[in-house]
Amino acid sequence: MTVRIGVIGAGWIGREHIRRLTGTVTGARVTAVTDIDRSRAAEAAAPVGGRVAADGAELIASDDVDAVLVTSWGPTHAEHVLNAITAGKPVFCEKPLATTVEDCLRITEAETANGRRLVQVGFMRRYDAGYRQMKQVIDSGAIGEPLVVHCAHRNPTVPESYTSDMAALDTAVHEVDVLRWLLDDEIVSAQVVTPRSTRKRFAHLRDPQIMLFETAKGVRIDLEVFVNCQYGYDIQCETVGEEGLVRLPDPASPAVRTAAAHSTRVPTDWVGRFADAFDTEFREWVARVAAGAEPTGPSAWDGYAATAITRATVTSLQEDRTVATDIRPRPAFYGGAA
């Protein structure tokens, strides 16, 4: 079947996903688009033959929408996801699932009451080939039990509107999710250490930040978030185990020898670095929807955990202390202990 998808939010990421769903992913068609800016919704809908819906509620309730994609402003996510659950329609929500822990829990409770998983959260790193290879190595036991994880998330620059809190809420959130998945473990505490700040930042920003996490099994994670590194978009991850280590491979790039130097290209943004992961993410989601099956990607519970952990990280930055994440026990509905 062709999955008819309604898109809520026609900003840059919404338009990019519309392009992906119509030009790259088979078995999907965008039938409706809505945005707070109606003209922007019309510009996004017209090239793919979609209509402009009055608002998110009307789009979700429409007979020509089988599944919903939420790419609107973060504080609106909870409303749209809850409406989709009430309508019984699969919903893919770009991160964050919601901007507060309370709203995330409302979503998990509504989905549990519905009795069937409908929500997938847009943490695309789980679909990156390199991370999936790391996951296979860790799960195989080849490096023994994980002990320490070293990570870095570096951007060349960020706009002046980027705040110190966003280092956790918008940037480190991707590592938070993928590390929980890689280790099959929960993050129980967060601490932020701020070294000397780069002169390349805007004056209000604390950059870089070192984030220290501890998991329920005692694994220690250090994450460098450096969003004005200048040289490129650089994602690093290394898991050290009892018997070896596994390192995330850099993206494939030709090695160039010229002018007495040997070099390889570093990506300049996250779009190029994770383009294939985005494509795979949507192919797998559309295939599950078409089959009438529950999604297998990041769940509403994963969205809740990510929000709880990043909020604790922000508190640590603001209050200069280690903060417990206070994540609830995982319900059996989401794969927790019965």
Side-chain angles (χ1 to χ4, degrees), residues 191-264:
Q191 179 185 5
V192 181
V193 177
T194 52
R196 176 183 178 182
S197 287
T198 174
R199 293 174 297 170
K200 304 294 185 179
R201 78 197 193 285
F202 290 103
H204 67 272
L205 184 61
R206 298 164 79 173
D207 184 47
Q209 296 178 29
I210 307 299
M211 301 176 185
L212 306 174
F213 301 107
E214 183 178 8
T215 75
K217 296 177 184 176
V219 178
R220 287 288 187 169
I221 299 164
D222 59 80
L223 166 60
E224 170 203 322
V225 176
F226 186 11
V227 295
N228 288 282
C229 79
Q230 306 298 305
Y231 70 86
Y233 180 76
D234 191 8
I235 302 300
Q236 300 293 325
C237 183
E238 179 181 271
T239 300
V240 181
E242 292 178 310
E243 300 171 15
L245 65 83
V246 58
R247 182 179 294 127
L248 181 71
D250 286 327
S253 181
V256 178
R257 295 173 186 256
T258 184
H262 183 187
S263 63
T264 56

Side-chain angles (χ1 to χ4, degrees), residues 73-84:
W73 185 43
T76 69
H77 286 189
E79 173 191 352
H80 300 313
V81 173
L82 285 167
N83 283 343

